[in-house]
Amino acid sequence: MDQPTTVKPSLLVRITQFAPLRLLVLGGILFLFMGVSSGVMEKFAGQPVLATVAAAVMAGLGVAIYAAFVRLIERRPVSELSLAPLARELGIGLLIGAGLYTASVLVLMALGIYRIVGFNPVSFMVPAIGMALSSGFFEELLFRGALFRIVEEMFGSWISLVVSSLVFGLLHLLNPAATLTGAIFISIEAGVLLAAGYMVTRRLWLSIGFHVAWNYTQQGVFSGIVSGNAPVPGLIKPIIEGPDALTGGSFGLESSLVAFLFCTTAGVILLILSVRRGNVVAPFWKRRTTAS
């Protein structure tokens, strides 16, 4: 009986499918466009409505570039950006992200550290929209869609979780008033939470929702410092007085023990759900052993 023949992929196809090369190319493209998006945001800094429109357009372009790369180079459906669950998963992510930040502020209010002394006009909430869209979409496409996913293909979920979290946190040292403590905290609390959001659904929408809502609520509502960047007033006029361990100091609330506790706990819960759903990927050497 004749055995079915399999067509061996061409050398060019095998080269383009090489995981480290895909990570380098896709990551480089997304990093470049993230820089372009930041430049566009700076250009429209005094025009918040135009900045919001520009950020939305750039975010859409980032998604399109990512999807085109996956379809043309990886030659597979873009399941991590499936449109069917977009509204539900993005909505849940937005609610949880805003809820985690609000819960952290409520703890500080109960301790007398965060005090509301007034309110700005509602228009002060607009500038944060563009910032949140740009950072939320591009950073999730880059760090979870490219870095976490492709490293996971090679070394499995747990090693990828460590690698992507460390890279994500340490790159925040490039921010103006960044601190090592803040970068380490982000590596753990945000790195785990955002990667777990991807693992539990195998899509990016939940993580994008977390990221966008946290950044927006932080700046647009509570006038907080976002990851060591210059503070921008939002809706609430606060006075924040207390130890850096609780306020986060110059880095912002991400560097506080309160946010660390809430976000890390949420991330661990999602990791447990990922394990229970069988969404943990083994490293390639264990997959080969199982297959044989």
Side-chain angles (χ1 to χ4, degrees):
M1 184 175 181
D2 294 336
Q3 295 294 326
T5 58
T6 57
V7 179
K8 188 176 182 179
S10 67
L11 178 61
L12 178 60
V13 170
R14 280 180 283 157
I15 291 174
T16 58
Q17 292 292 308
F18 186 51
L21 181 60
R22 284 190 285 119
L23 176 57
L24 181 63
V25 174
L26 179 57
I29 293 172
L30 290 172
F31 190 80
L32 174 64
F33 272 87
M34 185 166 63
V36 172
S37 181
S38 296
V40 171
M41 296 296 297
E42 290 180 8
K43 181 179 180 180
F44 293 113
Q47 305 172 347
V49 174
L50 286 178
T52 299
V53 173
V57 171
M58 292 299 296
L61 182 60
V63 170
I65 291 169
Y66 180 96
F69 184 92
V70 170
R71 287 189 176 276
L72 297 176
I73 303 301
E74 299 188 5
R75 300 189 176 191
R76 63 174 180 82
V78 195
S79 57
E80 61 269 38
L81 290 175
S82 175
L83 295 179
L86 187 158
R88 179 174 59 86
E89 292 178 2
L90 184 63
I92 292 172
L94 291 171
L95 288 174
I96 294 176
L100 287 171
Y101 193 87
T102 302
S104 300
V105 171
L106 290 176
V107 170
L108 297 186
M109 290 176 67
L111 295 173
I113 293 173
Y114 186 103
R115 292 184 290 119
I116 299 175
V117 296
F119 295 88
N120 290 312
V122 174
S123 60
F124 277 55
M125 300 177 71
V126 178
I129 299 174
M131 176 277 299
L133 287 174
S134 180
S135 60
F137 272 83
F138 274 102
E139 291 182 20
E140 291 314 300
L141 289 171
L142 174 58
F143 292 106
R144 259 57 64 177
L147 179 60
F148 178 87
R149 178 179 60 81
I150 296 176
V151 172
E152 184 187 49
E153 289 180 20
M154 298 181 283
F155 302 109
S157 298
W158 302 124
I159 293 177
S160 184
L161 177 64
V162 173
V163 171
S164 63
S165 296
L166 284 175
V167 174
F168 180 64
L170 293 177
L171 279 178
H172 281 77
L173 287 172
L174 299 176
N175 292 351
T179 65
L180 181 59
T181 301
I184 293 172
F185 272 40
I186 278 195
S187 293
I188 300 171
E189 67 193 10
V192 170
L193 175 65
L194 295 168
Y198 170 76
M199 286 175 63
V200 77
T201 61
R202 286 290 149 190
R203 287 178 291 272
L204 291 168
W205 302 124
L206 194 63
S207 300
I208 290 173
F210 289 158
H211 205 143
V212 170
W214 177 277
N215 283 4
Y216 178 76
T217 306
Q218 187 169 22
Q219 180 177 304
V221 178
F222 292 105
S223 304
I225 299 170
V226 180
S227 306
N229 288 292
V232 177
L235 177 65
I236 294 173
K237 294 179 180 179
I239 291 179
I240 306 172
E241 295 178 330
D244 287 355
L246 295 178
T247 67
S250 64
F251 195 85
L253 197 59
E254 294 102 326
S255 187
S256 78
L257 292 173
V258 178
F260 183 87
L261 176 62
F262 279 123
C263 293
T264 305
T265 300
V268 170
I269 291 171
L270 289 177
L271 286 179
I272 293 171
L273 287 175
S274 299
V275 172
R276 290 181 176 177
R277 292 182 179 183
N279 287 350
V280 175
V281 176
F284 73 88
W285 58 87
K286 287 191 176 181
R287 295 198 297 270
R288 285 179 180 175
T289 302
T290 303
S292 61

